[in-house]
Amino acid sequence: MTDTTLPWWRGAAIYQIYPRSFADSNGDGIGDLRGITAHLPYVASLGVDAIWLSPFFKSPMRDFGYDVSDYCDVDPIFGTLDDFDALVAQAHRLGLRIVIDQVWAHTSDEHGWFVESRSSRDNAKADWYVWADPKPDGSPPNNWQSVFGGPAWTWDARRRQYYMHQFLREQPQLHLHRPDVQDSVFDIIRFWLDRGVDGFRIDAINHAMHDPRLRDNPPAPDDGTLRTRPFDFQIKKYSQSHPDIPLFLEKVRRLFDEYQDRFTVAEVGGSNSDMEMKAFTQGEDRLNTAYGFDFLYAPELTAEFLRTALVKWPCETGAGWPSWAFENHDAPRAVSRWAKGADPEAFCRMKMLLLACLRGNIFLYYGEELGLPQVDIAFEDLQDPEAIANWPLTLSRDGARTPMPWRSDAPYLGFSQARPWLPVGEAHRTLAVDVQEARPDSLLHWTRRVLALRNGSPALRVGAIDFLKTPRELLAFERVQGDERLLCVFNLSDMPVAWTPPGHWRPLLSTGRIDGWRFPASSALVAQH
């Protein structure tokens, strides 16, 4: 049973929904809030604790909602604030918490703040964004590069200055060092917490502050990795990861502490993500947890790789609480990256049990419970601005954002009555929800069993983790909480492996036709001492 003395989020399973692609209620080919609300019973049936909604705020959609033009309103393509309130109320009736995205590093260039800021050098919001004069030769103020390619500076003739943007030119950088900008962010936080939101996932938080002296970034040493963007050639010493970010997060935490049972998780990418995640979550006065990209872009899943990632978060007081995701809206579907010749369904069953056994919070991406593979999107159907700009070297994020397959016999797999904003995956037809609901042995039903095991086990949800010595193909660890002691074993290779653990164990749940202590490829076992 779950320990009710602990906060609800510790050890929680959180289901990420990409609103554009989950369910379309009005037939315009784009998912919306009412579509999500209609399918909340399905989400609740999985056994997750909360839903994370990717951005649904008012936006020109240059980066599909991560360019916000009004933080406190719903974009009409998704519905209204009343629709959002109805979604929250229904989720709470079903025992689900609601976590929403927040993007504080930048806004849309159509946000009222930026429209005012760019109008002159002496208006009330003139310094709410990062503006700088050109060098004497007219070139940008320094050598900083944007994530999506090209300089992190765009010239604006109104002010005769450059403004900074770490991503698209339509996403100008907020000057979050300024107290008045921070106060405006705090007003946004209160707006959503007062509406009953249970937590925030904070996007790109290590991009939120810059070096005010605008010093050049140093070059990055060549490590042999393919470089497709100027951004890849620099160490981001001055353009991101400013030491004042943790101090800002302490203010955020003090505000959150005015409310009960609220949750904060940061997204942290980059070469120093491990160090930054710990800095952003250390102690009791910063964020609750953070997740990085350990697994999201990993080309293969091995026991050694997993162990190396997991041991970074020791079971020590004050060491921080991790979160883990194998898939999300920015990364290719895991089965397409990792199965590589293995039986896809067997691999997905092993992977789902592995995720449920990890120490920390876990994130499931919509459709992961169905084993959806990546969809190959033709160039003419691409929507992702990064993929379009860098075609064909950047793998499109669109392939992991395709419509949720609800019904196998429907023209658009039950997502919409109209042509969807992205093509459906034809390989998803046989994996649709209705097909898997009808098969008791499906991955969908397996996911429910796996999450039920986690939810009923204090050891899996919040217990310590201790790794065991095994053959290199196996990952084995114990999870311990109080009197409960569980053994978790995973064969991540394509070969059978024999291994007998010390002690006496009674199997609780397994996949892959394990015979005694002989583990076939893509097999997994949880046993009780």
Side-chain angles (χ1 to χ4, degrees):
M1 298 294 292
T2 301
D3 186 345
T4 56
T5 65
L6 294 173
W8 69 265
W9 54 263
R10 190 171 288 271
I14 302 172
Y15 186 83
Q16 181 191 356
I17 290 177
Y18 195 70
R20 294 182 72 92
S21 299
F22 198 62
D24 171 22
S25 71
N26 61 2
D28 64 357
I30 298 173
D32 47 50
L33 296 181
R34 289 188 177 186
I36 295 170
T37 302
H39 289 87
L40 286 178
Y42 165 81
V43 178
S45 78
L46 299 175
V48 297
D49 300 279
I51 296 169
W52 154 28
L53 297 175
S54 293
F56 53 84
F57 316 107
K58 194 170 183 182
S59 166
M61 300 293 163
R62 298 284 188 165
D63 193 24
F64 297 101
Y66 287 93
D67 51 324
V68 179
S69 59
D70 188 340
Y71 285 101
C72 297
D73 201 0
V74 174
D75 195 275
I77 67 171
F78 297 126
T80 65
L81 277 171
D82 286 342
D83 292 332
F84 178 78
D85 292 339
L87 187 158
V88 172
Q90 174 67 349
H92 287 171
R93 282 192 289 270
L94 292 167
L96 293 168
R97 312 277 182 156
I98 295 295
V99 177
I100 66 173
D101 249 317
Q102 289 288 281
V103 189
W104 300 332
H106 49 257
T107 71
S108 164
D109 61 349
E110 296 184 17
H111 196 291
W113 298 347
F114 187 71
V115 172
E116 183 175 354
S117 183
R118 80 189 316 181
S119 66
S120 69
R121 296 194 188 192
D122 57 2
N123 63 78
K125 293 183 173 59
D127 295 325
W128 277 39
Y129 292 82
V130 182
W131 294 94
D133 292 327
K135 289 181 179 179
D137 63 359
S139 60
N142 60 27
N143 71 347
W144 296 351
Q145 300 293 315
S146 74
V147 174
F148 288 167
W153 298 97
T154 289
W155 176 256
D156 189 276
R158 298 165 186 81
R159 291 182 48 141
R160 298 183 303 282
Q161 286 182 305
Y162 284 94
Y163 67 85
M164 177 188 170
H165 51 90
Q166 302 229 34
F167 296 88
L168 295 175
R169 62 186 298 170
E170 293 87 2
Q171 294 171 295
Q173 182 83 6
L174 272 172
H175 199 329
L176 205 57
H177 289 284
R178 290 182 58 88
D180 48 358
V181 176
Q182 293 184 14
D183 287 343
S184 294
V185 168
F186 299 151
D187 289 341
I188 295 163
I189 295 173
R190 289 190 178 93
F191 176 87
W192 290 109
L193 294 184
D194 287 342
R195 293 194 96 86
V197 166
D198 299 288
F200 287 174
R201 179 264 190 188
I202 305 169
D203 181 73
I205 189 60
N206 54 342
H207 289 268
M209 289 181 174
H210 67 293
D211 170 36
R213 294 169 58 186
L214 304 183
R215 286 171 285 186
D216 280 350
N217 280 332
D222 187 354
D223 61 0
T225 303
L226 178 65
R227 295 170 168 179
T228 62
R229 309 163 296 177
F231 182 80
D232 301 328
F233 287 78
Q234 294 183 354
I235 297 173
K236 291 71 173 179
K237 183 175 182 179
Y238 297 115
S239 57
Q240 65 185 63
S241 307
H242 193 277
D244 284 353
I245 295 175
L247 304 180
F248 166 69
L249 294 178
E250 290 177 4
K251 297 179 184 179
V252 171
R253 177 61 182 270
R254 285 196 292 272
L255 194 163
F256 265 77
D257 286 345
E258 297 174 11
Y259 296 78
Q260 289 187 338
D261 296 329
R262 308 304 170 96
F263 168 63
T264 52
V265 54
E267 176 209 35
V268 185
S271 57
N272 294 320
S273 60
D274 178 60
M275 179 182 68
E276 290 183 302
M277 283 190 289
K278 290 175 180 175
F280 297 163
T281 61
Q282 70 178 28
E284 298 297 327
D285 58 355
R286 295 181 182 174
L287 302 183
N288 298 129
T289 184
Y291 83 89
F293 292 78
D294 298 82
F295 303 125
L296 291 175
Y297 293 117
E300 60 181 351
L301 192 67
T302 66
E304 181 181 3
F305 178 74
L306 272 158
R307 191 181 296 108
T308 300
L310 299 174
V311 297
K312 294 176 183 176
W313 294 87
C315 309
E316 300 171 358
T317 302
W321 183 255
S323 288
W324 307 104
F326 290 164
E327 302 184 9
N328 78 1
H329 62 289
D330 283 332
R333 293 282 186 177
V335 64
S336 297
R337 283 182 285 129
W338 292 341
K340 293 183 179 176
D343 178 345
E345 182 167 345
F347 184 88
C348 286
R349 291 168 70 91
M350 181 273 294
K351 176 180 71 71
M352 188 61 70
L353 186 54
L354 169 63
L355 183 64
C357 290
L358 298 184
R359 176 182 176 270
N361 295 338
I362 59 171
F363 287 85
L364 285 78
Y365 185 49
Y366 80 98
E368 189 171 359
E369 75 278 12
L370 305 176
L372 299 185
Q374 184 84 351
V375 177
D376 187 16
I377 305 293
F379 179 80
E380 56 269 22
D381 293 323
L382 284 179
Q383 304 291 327
D384 177 8
E386 183 181 12
I388 293 171
N390 296 311
W391 176 267
L393 292 177
T394 297
L395 180 64
S396 168
R397 296 176 296 176
D398 292 337
R401 299 176 176 182
T402 55
M404 178 77 168
W406 294 103
R407 298 197 311 274
S408 60
D409 60 350
Y412 300 113
L413 303 187
F415 165 76
S416 176
Q417 297 295 319
R419 180 180 178 181
W421 75 287
L422 280 175
V424 298
E426 280 305 313
H428 294 178
R429 191 173 298 277
T430 58
L431 300 173
V433 171
D434 65 335
V435 173
Q436 298 207 32
E437 289 283 18
R439 280 182 47 211
D441 63 342
S442 69
L443 180 64
L444 172 58
H445 286 295
W446 171 254
T447 298
R448 291 175 174 139
R449 291 180 64 193
V450 165
L451 291 179
L453 175 67
R454 180 180 173 94
N455 290 336
S457 166
L460 290 181
R461 193 161 174 117
V462 298
I465 188 169
D466 183 27
F467 294 90
L468 304 180
K469 187 175 181 179
T470 62
R472 60 183 298 273
E473 297 85 1
L474 290 186
L475 176 72
F477 51 79
E478 293 184 13
R479 300 294 311 277
V480 180
Q481 178 71 10
D483 294 333
E484 186 183 25
R485 182 180 169 194
L486 300 181
L487 171 70
C488 307
V489 186
F490 308 90
N491 183 359
L492 299 155
S493 75
D494 57 1
M495 303 276 294
V497 181
W499 174 72
T500 303
H504 300 282
W505 301 94
R506 177 175 61 85
L508 292 179
L509 190 63
S510 66
T511 181
R513 298 186 179 183
I514 296 168
D515 182 12
W517 294 106
R518 188 177 185 276
F519 297 87
S522 300
S523 62
L525 166 74
V526 176
Q528 187 173 44
H529 192 267

